[in-house]
Amino acid sequence: MGTLFVGGALTLTLGALAYPSMLGVSQAATAQDRIIAQTQWGPLTEQDRDFVVKVRAAGLWEYPLGQIAQTKGTTPEVKEAGKHLIDGHAALDAACRKIAPMLNITIPNVASPQQVGFVNTIDSSSGQQFDSNFANILRVTHGSIFNAIAKIRSTTKNSLVRSLADMANDTVLDHMTVMEKTGFVNFDQALFMQTTPPKLPATDLTPPAPQPGAPMVVLTPPPNPTSTPLGIPGENNANGGGAAPAAGASPTVG
């Protein structure tokens, strides 16, 4: 039962990464390199915009899992992995909120319905089953998006997207490493799930657009963050380029 539970959970999660959807935009694989805007930082393509949305959405469900691991993890390694999720995604979230208005990209305030349900599924487990689900699922998701980051970094002509890709690359590599250090990762299963993603309905995978006038959700960094904020030349003059709050450990709005 444990194997089936983890396998099913991995399948659901991987689908959210392998087949991401942009807010209000139907995506076609052949159109991902289509230029949708010319900006002072370089042309912006559909896959560039999709990447910014994907990084934001990832934090909206992985950050809460990091918090959950602080209380439900049964080993120091699992708790430490949770800390890394909180720290890393808070920094990536600040970066997404910084560059999204500069590129006129709408970013979500909540994760997709499938991702929200997945967090609830992990939270419903306990003991070593929680540790195993947590480590394996996060190892699969980070292993999958690691490849997507490489593609974006090597193909984008937009300097802001390149900067986000550099930051995401370092963060995801760190998160993969701490998951592996828990000792709970089943590598055969994880690699199989990374290479055989399922096709899931776009409605399950698309984060809903924020309500008009709704405050922006902020993933607050820990009291002593270690992740390096994204630096952008001239960012102080950019509209909406505010940084994340300096303290706290739970999502807030601002």
Side-chain angles (χ1 to χ4, degrees), residues 13 16-17 20-23 49-65 89 92-93 96-97 105-116 119 138 141 145 164 204-208 216-217 219:
T13 303
L17 286 169
S21 297
M22 294 177 293
L23 298 177
R49 177 175 58 184
D50 183 42
F51 178 68
V52 177
V53 171
K54 184 192 299 184
V55 173
R56 164 71 169 177
L60 292 172
W61 70 277
E62 292 178 21
Y63 180 101
L65 283 180
H89 280 292
L92 284 174
D93 183 70
C96 288
R97 288 183 289 104
I105 297 175
T106 299
I107 55 176
N109 258 341
V110 296
S112 70
Q114 193 272 337
Q115 291 170 333
V116 172
V119 173
L138 271 298
T141 59
I145 202 170
L164 181 63
D204 291 346
L205 307 177
T206 305
M216 178 71 71
V217 170
L219 303 184

Side-chain angles (χ1 to χ4, degrees), residues 57-247:
L60 292 172
W61 70 277
E62 292 178 21
Y63 180 101
L65 283 180
Q67 295 178 310
I68 293 170
Q70 299 304 291
T71 58
K72 302 193 73 170
T74 67
T75 69
E77 290 79 11
V78 171
K79 293 179 182 293
E80 181 66 20
K83 291 180 181 179
H84 282 242
L85 288 182
I86 294 170
D87 185 275
H89 280 292
L92 284 174
D93 183 70
C96 288
R97 288 183 289 104
K98 180 184 295 183
I99 72 172
M102 298 167 71
L103 297 173
N104 197 28
I105 297 175
T106 299
I107 55 176
N109 258 341
V110 296
S112 70
Q114 193 272 337
Q115 291 170 333
V116 172
F118 188 66
V119 173
N120 294 335
T121 298
I122 295 182
D123 194 19
S124 68
S125 60
S126 60
Q128 286 200 349
Q129 185 66 68
F130 172 87
D131 296 336
S132 180
N133 291 344
F134 175 81
N136 280 282
I137 292 166
L138 271 298
R139 175 56 179 81
V140 169
T141 59
H142 286 88
S144 300
I145 202 170
F146 196 55
N147 295 326
I149 294 169
K151 179 181 179 181
I152 290 293
R153 181 61 181 84
S154 64
T155 60
T156 184
K157 297 178 182 179
N158 189 282
S159 61
L160 293 185
V161 176
R162 278 199 299 274
S163 295
L164 181 63
D166 286 339
M167 185 178 184
N169 182 77
D170 293 341
T171 302
V172 171
L173 179 58
D174 172 68
H175 291 176
M176 288 172 61
T177 302
V178 293
M179 293 305 158
E180 293 163 356
K181 287 182 178 179
T182 65
F184 287 101
V185 174
N186 181 326
F187 284 94
D188 289 337
Q189 186 178 59
L191 295 177
F192 174 77
M193 295 307 302
Q194 286 178 207
T195 56
T196 56
K199 292 185 178 180
L200 299 176
T203 53
D204 291 346
L205 307 177
T206 305
Q211 294 297 316
M216 178 71 71
V217 170
V218 174
L219 303 184
T220 313
N224 299 298
T226 60
S227 295
T228 303
L230 183 68
I232 301 172
E235 64 181 303
N236 291 334
N237 296 323
N239 182 30

